[in-house]
Amino acid sequence: MPGEQRPDRDPKNFVLPELGQLLQRSRLEGIRDNLVARIAEAEREGWLGEVEGLRVSLAGAEDQLVQMDRRTPGGTAIDLGMPRMVPAQPIREEGTASLRESLDDQQ
């Protein structure tokens, strides 16, 4: 609706990318720690099926943390150099006419 502000565009909801990554990492570490505690509880109680499912989730959380560690803060800059300006050269193959010659032939 006109005049209605979307929550994702509201300036007070803006989070710096670095802060967002720290919050995400902190959240993942909390999930990982909770999974470790739940695995210990499931092993104590003999819930073998639960242990396997929790271990799969734990592996996923640890994998995400490893992927976050691989990312360089701020991204990776790659120097592509300066583009070189080269004047366009007409390509003529044997037996073909230029555009001007083709237009002259049509008249």
Side-chain angles (χ1 to χ4, degrees):
M1 301 200 74
E4 186 177 324
Q5 197 167 19
R6 292 177 37 189
D8 61 333
R9 304 236 175 147
D10 190 349
K12 67 182 176 194
N13 291 335
F14 178 74
V15 178
L16 296 173
E18 297 84 15
L19 180 58
Q21 289 174 356
L22 288 174
L23 292 173
Q24 183 180 17
R25 179 170 186 76
S26 175
R27 183 172 177 269
L28 274 171
E29 288 172 344
I31 290 170
R32 180 198 55 202
D33 296 345
N34 181 269
L35 286 166
V36 169
R38 289 175 59 195
I39 288 170
E41 178 188 12
E43 286 174 338
R44 268 193 321 273
E45 299 296 328
W47 304 329
L48 301 180
E50 186 75 11
V51 170
E52 285 306 309
L54 291 169
R55 284 186 178 154
V56 170
S57 297
L58 176 62
E62 288 175 340
D63 184 51
Q64 286 183 348
L65 287 168
V66 168
Q67 288 178 24
M68 290 181 81
D69 289 341
R70 288 184 192 152
R71 295 184 192 139
T72 307
T76 302
I78 299 173
D79 182 15
L80 299 177
M82 289 296 296
R84 193 176 64 164
M85 301 301 287
V86 179
Q89 300 292 321
I91 299 174
R92 276 190 81 169
E93 296 179 18
E94 191 174 319
T96 62
S98 69
L99 179 58
R100 182 181 305 279
E101 292 169 343
S102 294
L103 292 174
D104 290 342
D105 288 344
Q106 290 179 5
Q107 294 176 358

